[in-house]
């Protein structure tokens, strides 16, 4: 099977309180997106990178050898992927992996597991999740993440963004880390069914899980045992925490 990767790197990262694009902040001497690229090489050595804010700086940092898609308006993850699919139309792609460019602890092992699960189960969508006991202490930043809603048999039903979650859904401690593997042909056919009827008025990639489930398609979740891979960097405090964690692990 032919696998292609999209890396989401178009956001400004306003909470970083910096003029630098979020993905170009560094941890232990390497940019966030370079660390993601290092992991992605395990399944695709020529990924597509979605750029937006100060795109020329991101391209200069990551190199001309990659494919780039420019997202002028930040209308959500679903919108960003739809732009990339227009460029990828006609390519011989079987499965499409989508990851954020601001998760520097993403591992090659996790990406390989997502792809292997897709192949073994013939699922339409495979997503990565983490489970935490609570949102206390070092897990506090995870409270911002979307919740994984399952049915009584344990099957994934849908993903709910925090802004749209009910109190019951907010209590769920299985979280979406925004690592996905899609059936490429299915994604191309149904990406335009996404709606921005939500609190953020954005097109969420996560809504594709609900669409697939309504069609009776198989959606699988891979529980990532290394919880730290779920750390996304959205603020200077989170950047400092992830860097301290990484340096501690390397010592």
């Amino acid at each position: 099977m032919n696998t292609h990767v999209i890396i989401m790197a178009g956001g400004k990262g306003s909470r970083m309180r910096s003029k630098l694009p979020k993905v170009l902040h560094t941890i232990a001497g390497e940019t966030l997106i370079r660390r993601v690229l290092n992991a992605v090489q395990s399944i695709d050595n020529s990924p597509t990178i979605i750029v937006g804010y100060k795109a020329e700086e991101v391209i200069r940092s990551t190199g001309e050898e990659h494919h780039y898609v420019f997202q002028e308006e930040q209308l959500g993850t679903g919108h960003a992927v739809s732009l990339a699919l227009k460029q990828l139309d006609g390519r011989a792609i079987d499965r499409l992996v989508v990851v954020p460019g601001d998760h520097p602890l993403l591992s090659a092992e996790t990406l390989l597991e997502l792809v292997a699960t897709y192949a073994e189960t013939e699922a339409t969508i495979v997503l990565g999740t983490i489970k935490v006991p609570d949102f206390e202490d070092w897990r506090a930043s995870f409270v911002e993440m979307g919740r994984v809603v399952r049915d009584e048999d344990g099957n994934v039903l849908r993903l709910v963004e925090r802004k749209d979650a009910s109190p019951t859904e907010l209590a769920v401690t299985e979280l979406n880390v925004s690592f996905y593997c899609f059936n490429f042909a299915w994604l191309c056919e149904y990406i335009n069914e996404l709606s921005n009827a939500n609190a953020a008025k954005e097109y969420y990639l996560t809504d594709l899980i609900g669409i697939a489930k309504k069609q009776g398609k198989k959606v699988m979740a891979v529980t990532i045992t290394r919880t730290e891979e779920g750390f996304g960097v959205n603020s200077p405090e989170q950047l400092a925490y992830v860097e301290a964690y990484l340096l501690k692990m390397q010592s």
Side-chain angles (χ1 to χ4, degrees), residues 21-86:
K22 180 170 66 170
V23 297
L24 294 189
H25 287 80
T26 60
I27 287 180
E30 278 193 308
T31 62
L32 302 182
I33 193 168
R34 176 55 59 188
R35 290 184 173 276
V36 172
L37 279 167
N38 291 343
V40 162
Q41 297 300 311
S42 62
I43 57 172
D44 185 2
N45 58 15
S46 187
T48 292
I49 302 174
I50 298 176
V51 294
Y53 177 69
K54 292 191 175 180
E56 66 286 349
E57 291 187 24
V58 177
I59 294 171
R60 189 162 54 246
S61 173
T62 52
E64 297 288 346
E65 68 271 21
H66 303 297
H67 305 286
Y68 292 93
V69 172
F70 182 67
Q71 185 186 23
E72 184 174 359
E73 294 183 273
Q74 303 298 305
L75 301 179
T77 52
H79 173 253
V81 170
S82 71
L83 295 176
L85 292 180
K86 292 176 182 178

Side-chain angles (χ1 to χ4, degrees), residues 49-247:
I49 302 174
I50 298 176
V51 294
Y53 177 69
K54 292 191 175 180
E56 66 286 349
E57 291 187 24
V58 177
I59 294 171
R60 189 162 54 246
S61 173
T62 52
E64 297 288 346
E65 68 271 21
H66 303 297
H67 305 286
Y68 292 93
V69 172
F70 182 67
Q71 185 186 23
E72 184 174 359
E73 294 183 273
Q74 303 298 305
L75 301 179
T77 52
H79 173 253
V81 170
S82 71
L83 295 176
L85 292 180
K86 292 176 182 178
Q87 188 178 102
L88 296 172
D89 186 39
R91 293 270 299 272
I93 300 170
D94 298 302
R95 52 198 175 197
L96 185 75
V97 173
V98 181
V99 297
D102 61 359
H103 280 54
L105 301 183
L106 169 65
S107 72
E109 291 75 18
T110 288
L111 293 175
L112 289 168
E113 186 175 3
L114 286 177
V115 169
T117 300
Y118 175 92
E120 292 165 4
T121 64
E122 298 183 348
T124 297
I125 306 173
V126 178
L127 60 142
T129 73
I130 59 171
K131 294 180 180 179
V132 295
D134 53 48
F135 299 106
E136 303 299 323
D137 194 35
W138 59 272
R139 298 173 295 278
S141 65
F142 290 153
V143 75
E144 302 174 2
M145 300 170 70
R147 277 28 175 205
V148 180
V149 179
R150 294 179 180 266
D151 64 20
E152 58 186 15
D153 296 318
N155 301 306
V156 176
L157 276 179
R158 64 185 183 277
L159 301 181
V160 183
E161 298 296 331
R162 183 193 179 194
K163 293 178 181 178
D164 303 295
S166 67
T168 299
E169 290 165 341
L170 284 174
V172 171
T173 55
E174 183 177 12
L175 311 171
N176 171 38
V177 291
S178 301
F179 307 156
Y180 309 99
C181 183
F182 293 97
N183 177 286
F184 181 71
W186 180 88
L187 182 62
C188 289
E189 184 172 355
Y190 292 102
I191 189 76
N192 291 327
E193 291 197 9
L194 294 177
S195 165
N196 66 346
N198 51 62
K201 302 300 181 185
E202 293 184 351
Y203 296 92
Y204 292 146
L205 197 63
T206 50
D207 287 347
L208 287 165
I209 281 75
I211 292 172
K213 293 295 293 186
K214 287 180 181 178
Q215 296 174 355
K217 301 295 185 181
K218 184 181 292 186
V219 176
M220 299 296 295
V222 171
T223 302
I224 301 167
T225 55
R226 295 178 68 248
T227 306
E228 62 271 19
E229 292 192 44
F231 281 124
V233 174
N234 294 297
S235 69
E237 294 77 18
Q238 290 176 354
L239 182 72
Y241 184 89
V242 175
E243 181 168 47
Y245 176 88
L246 183 63
L247 292 174

